[in-house]
Amino acid sequence: MQGIKGNSANVTTKVLIVGGGPTGLFASIALSKYKIPHILIEQRKTVQAVPAAHVINTRTMEIFRQAGLPMDKLYALNGHAGARFVTWINRPGEVIGHFDLMGDSDALVARMHASQDHTSNISQPLLEEFLLAEATKSAVADIRYGVEWQQFNNEATHLSEIIDLDGSHVTIESEFTFAADGAASGIARSLNIRKVGPDAIATYLSLSCEVDMRGVLSDTSTLLYWLLDPETMGTAIVHNPEKLTVFMRPIAPFESIENYDDATCQALLGNVFGDRPFKMLHKSLWRMTAQVAEKFRQDSVFLVGDSAHRFPPTGGLGLNTGIADVHNLVWKIAAELSQGNSEGLLETYELERRPVAQQSCDVSYNNHLKMTDVMQAIGLDPGKAHLLTTFMNHFVIRSLPGWFQGVIRKALLKPVRAKLNAVTANDSQGKTIRAKVQQVIDNQREHFDTLGLELGYVYREGCAVAPEAAKTSASEVSSYQPNADPGSRLPHVQIPVSGQPISTLNLIDYRNFTLLHQGEIEDPSFESFGLPTTKINIAAHEYAEAVQLLAKSLLLKHGAWILVCLLYTSPSPRDS
């Protein structure tokens, strides 16, 4: 992780990755799988220190496994392995309702059968440290922190001007550039790539805290708390119940970070955590958007991750979509570098990934809007959430004595608190309201259960998928329906191979096409773009115990075959 080696003002590489977040670091790991020399630059001097994303979903864990990452070490980073609930509260100890992340027994069984992997709660700084350690093991990876991308040289996208650690200006020449430089991507701006969608849905104050939530609330199985009391309204995200929680509070459009000095934030957190000791580690503001770039590629530059799409966090899909972007793109870059003349192949990156990103963006935005249903069920108007702040910041009110401002504030909050107290009251009316609210909470499933979206999206256009992929049905957001039709993810089936249980997904090598077939077949004709093809005959001796299960789950009859690219299937003559 040093600066540019030597004194040369010009450096050449196959691929330049700009951005060292999870998407950029995984791009480095994936390129190394193909032994493609590359340089990764990141303007920060180290990995991200502030907690941000934390939901690493099932699909991403499958991709990490296929890339050969040590999964035991990765799962061990889960800081909240016992997380099971999302909880709405008035104040600590006054529970309004729960959402069970495990779902009912049918949903739990379906999730367990869908994959050998599962969603994990891993704070982004820990994930970045893990990915960086893996990326730096490669001899073809040159990873440089404290290096800032400046611009393309005379608009030539293969020439990037950067500022090195020592302040010197260096030009990096690369055949391809991955823009993994985040939501405020300088590369996307320099190329005038517009993002489509609302760019200012809401603004949040984010406070990272060292606090033992076990002392704040007796419940240690909640991942997210939605606090509804006006003085503490916000969301507490429990990254680690023993030591790390992030509190996010929506603020008024006219407010800025100057409105929240340390003393104000300390007072706010004191209201949230009560008399328990805490330490504020970091504060910042962030703006919620729901945007997808109008294009994911220009010339030799590819947008990946947040530079290509920015979602509301309601669903935890942002980081995960970026990892899948890289998974889709890197093998195509490898094919182009190996064979050349694959321009049509590179075009499929946007064709395949942009519709998936758009769907994830739409679902995330809809989830955000639906969260107001809980407030409405209580009898509160979410549209008036900022009226108190607006009123109290009026110059006339601010000119009044502090004690009088307090009286006004208390009077304005009285009707809101009356409704919140009614819903938490231990009487028949309270129970009736809570039952109504619980029905609304149960209707938030697409926010917290996106298994169908994670595993069931379909690539309907692209190199390895013929026109018949347009007929393949995608899964619903929360309900995954496994199938092996063109463009879909290869179903996970636990099978015995030579007496050992493995997943069908473990049969697939990230670097190759895989041809699954039953019995002798004529050599099929398909385009592999110069990449090797591994053939697996499920009628072979080592698959003797699994052949019937495989044939049924993949609809793979004798003499038929199915081609798998990465983990996605392409057409095959299964009815032959």
Side-chain angles (χ1 to χ4, degrees):
M1 296 189 294
Q2 303 300 316
I4 303 296
K5 299 180 179 68
N7 297 316
S8 172
N10 295 283
V11 179
T12 301
T13 189
K14 293 293 185 182
V15 178
L16 171 64
I17 305 168
V18 181
T23 299
L25 289 169
F26 182 67
S28 172
I29 292 168
L31 288 166
S32 292
K33 295 287 288 184
Y34 288 97
K35 303 189 185 312
I36 297 173
H38 60 277
I39 296 173
L40 182 152
I41 61 171
E42 165 56 51
Q43 64 181 355
R44 297 170 305 179
K45 293 184 178 180
T46 185
V47 298
Q48 176 155 313
V50 180
H54 62 102
V55 176
I56 314 303
N57 70 26
T58 300
R59 186 72 189 93
T60 298
M61 297 301 275
E62 288 182 347
I63 291 172
F64 285 162
R65 182 182 295 276
Q66 191 187 36
L69 300 185
M71 299 304 291
D72 289 346
K73 290 183 179 179
L74 183 56
Y75 276 116
L77 298 178
N78 188 343
H80 199 349
R84 175 168 181 172
F85 296 105
V86 176
T87 303
W88 282 257
I89 63 175
N90 180 15
R91 292 179 288 266
E94 299 180 9
V95 175
I96 294 172
H98 292 287
F99 183 90
D100 189 344
L101 296 169
M102 296 293 185
D104 57 27
S105 58
D106 290 342
L108 182 58
V109 169
R111 180 173 286 275
M112 292 176 63
H113 281 86
S115 177
Q116 64 187 318
D117 288 302
H118 57 81
T119 296
S120 195
N121 186 59
I122 301 174
S123 194
Q124 185 169 328
L126 297 178
L127 178 64
E128 287 192 17
E129 289 177 358
F130 170 84
L131 294 175
L132 176 60
E134 293 301 314
T136 52
K137 292 177 181 179
S138 171
V140 298
D142 187 351
I143 298 176
R144 307 168 178 177
Y145 279 71
V147 179
E148 183 178 354
W149 186 90
Q150 287 290 293
Q151 62 184 5
F152 292 115
N153 188 328
N154 295 322
E155 300 184 355
T157 56
H158 66 290
L159 297 174
S160 286
E161 296 181 5
I162 68 169
I163 298 180
D164 196 17
L165 277 169
D166 61 2
S168 61
H169 290 254
V170 178
T171 297
I172 297 180
E173 180 177 355
S174 60
E175 294 191 39
F176 298 102
T177 298
F178 291 0
D181 51 340
S185 172
I187 292 179
R189 287 200 309 273
S190 73
L191 297 174
N192 295 314
I193 297 178
R194 189 171 63 97
K195 288 187 172 68
V196 180
D199 66 347
I201 300 169
T203 303
Y204 288 83
L205 171 69
S206 179
L207 304 174
S208 302
C209 310
E210 182 179 313
V211 61
D212 189 342
M213 289 296 285
R214 298 172 301 176
V216 178
L217 296 159
S218 58
D219 169 30
T220 59
S221 58
T222 288
L223 178 63
L224 299 173
Y225 289 97
W226 297 86
L227 292 82
L228 300 185
D229 181 82
E231 297 288 6
T232 57
M233 180 174 288
T235 307
I237 306 168
V238 185
H239 288 244
N240 185 314
E242 298 181 23
K243 59 184 179 181
L244 182 61
T245 291
V246 177
F247 180 71
M248 296 194 304
R249 180 177 177 86
I251 67 171
F254 59 84
E255 291 185 295
S256 67
I257 195 68
E258 283 71 30
N259 295 99
Y260 292 91
D261 58 20
D262 286 355
T264 300
C265 293
Q266 293 281 357
L268 172 60
L269 293 172
N271 288 332
V272 173
F273 300 132
D275 59 358
R276 302 301 299 182
F278 66 88
K279 179 181 180 182
M280 186 172 70
L281 303 174
H282 179 82
K283 69 175 180 180
S284 63
L285 294 187
W286 64 274
R287 188 176 65 188
M288 182 188 294
T289 63
Q291 297 184 304
V292 177
E294 60 185 350
K295 57 182 178 179
F296 282 18
R297 178 197 179 192
Q298 183 164 316
D299 301 326
S300 60
V301 180
F302 295 84
L303 307 188
V304 293
D306 287 353
S307 71
H309 39 73
R310 304 186 291 188
F311 310 152
T314 37
L317 298 171
L319 181 155
N320 295 288
T321 305
I323 297 298
D325 290 343
V326 169
H327 187 247
N328 180 280
L329 175 61
V330 166
W331 78 267
K332 298 172 182 179
I333 296 295
E336 170 65 17
L337 291 173
S338 171
Q339 178 173 285
N341 302 318
S342 298
E343 179 61 28
L345 173 63
L346 296 179
E347 289 178 356
T348 66
Y349 168 62
E350 180 180 323
L351 288 172
E352 293 181 344
R353 290 304 303 165
R354 193 175 185 280
V356 176
Q358 187 63 64
Q359 183 186 14
S360 296
C361 184
D362 294 344
V363 168
S364 299
Y365 187 33
N366 186 57
N367 287 340
H368 167 72
L369 296 177
K370 283 179 64 179
M371 289 303 298
T372 62
D373 293 352
V374 178
M375 302 275 288
Q376 291 170 345
I378 295 171
L380 301 176
D381 184 352
K384 297 180 180 180
H386 295 312
L387 287 185
L388 176 65
T389 302
T390 303
F391 184 81
M392 295 303 295
N393 276 276
H394 192 278
F395 75 94
V396 173
I397 302 299
R398 293 177 66 181
S399 68
L400 298 173
W403 68 267
F404 194 28
Q405 291 185 41
V407 171
I408 294 173
R409 184 181 185 88
K410 185 176 180 179
L412 292 173
L413 289 176
K414 186 175 181 179
V416 175
R417 286 213 163 112
K419 291 182 177 180
L420 287 169
N421 290 336
V423 75
T424 57
N426 190 25
D427 56 24
S428 59
Q429 182 186 15
K431 292 177 181 178
T432 299
I433 299 173
R434 286 197 297 276
K436 177 183 176 182
V437 173
Q438 187 61 51
Q439 289 181 337
V440 174
I441 289 174
D442 291 340
N443 197 38
Q444 303 287 328
R445 179 158 294 280
E446 288 190 358
H447 182 166
F448 305 110
D449 182 1
T450 58
L451 187 66
L453 187 60
E454 296 167 30
L455 304 183
Y457 59 79
V458 176
Y459 289 149
R460 290 191 166 90
E461 296 183 69
C463 69
V465 181
E468 51 263 49
K471 302 176 183 178
T472 299
S473 297
S475 295
E476 299 294 329
V477 173
S478 298
S479 178
Y480 169 61
Q481 296 297 324
N483 72 74
D485 291 333
S488 60
R489 163 187 168 274
L490 182 72
H492 155 75
V493 182
Q494 194 83 352
I495 59 173
V497 177
S498 299
Q500 297 296 320
I502 69 167
S503 168
T504 48
L505 303 182
N506 292 353
L507 300 176
I508 309 305
D509 190 327
Y510 178 61
R511 297 163 297 183
N512 303 344
F513 281 72
T514 303
L515 188 71
L516 300 173
H517 62 98
Q518 183 179 176
E520 296 300 321
I521 59 171
E522 296 183 8
D523 285 338
S525 176
F526 58 86
E527 176 60 74
S528 62
F529 301 96
L531 298 179
T533 298
T534 300
K535 294 182 180 181
I536 297 178
N537 181 3
I538 67 170
H541 173 71
E542 60 266 35
Y543 301 100
E545 298 177 75
V547 62
Q548 291 186 356
L549 183 59
L550 281 170
K552 180 180 179 181
S553 60
L554 303 181
L555 302 180
L556 196 56
K557 298 179 180 180
H558 187 79
W561 55 269
I562 182 172
L563 182 67
V564 184
C565 172
L566 278 73
L567 295 178
Y568 288 86
T569 59
S570 69
S572 64
R574 296 195 196 129
D575 295 329
S576 57

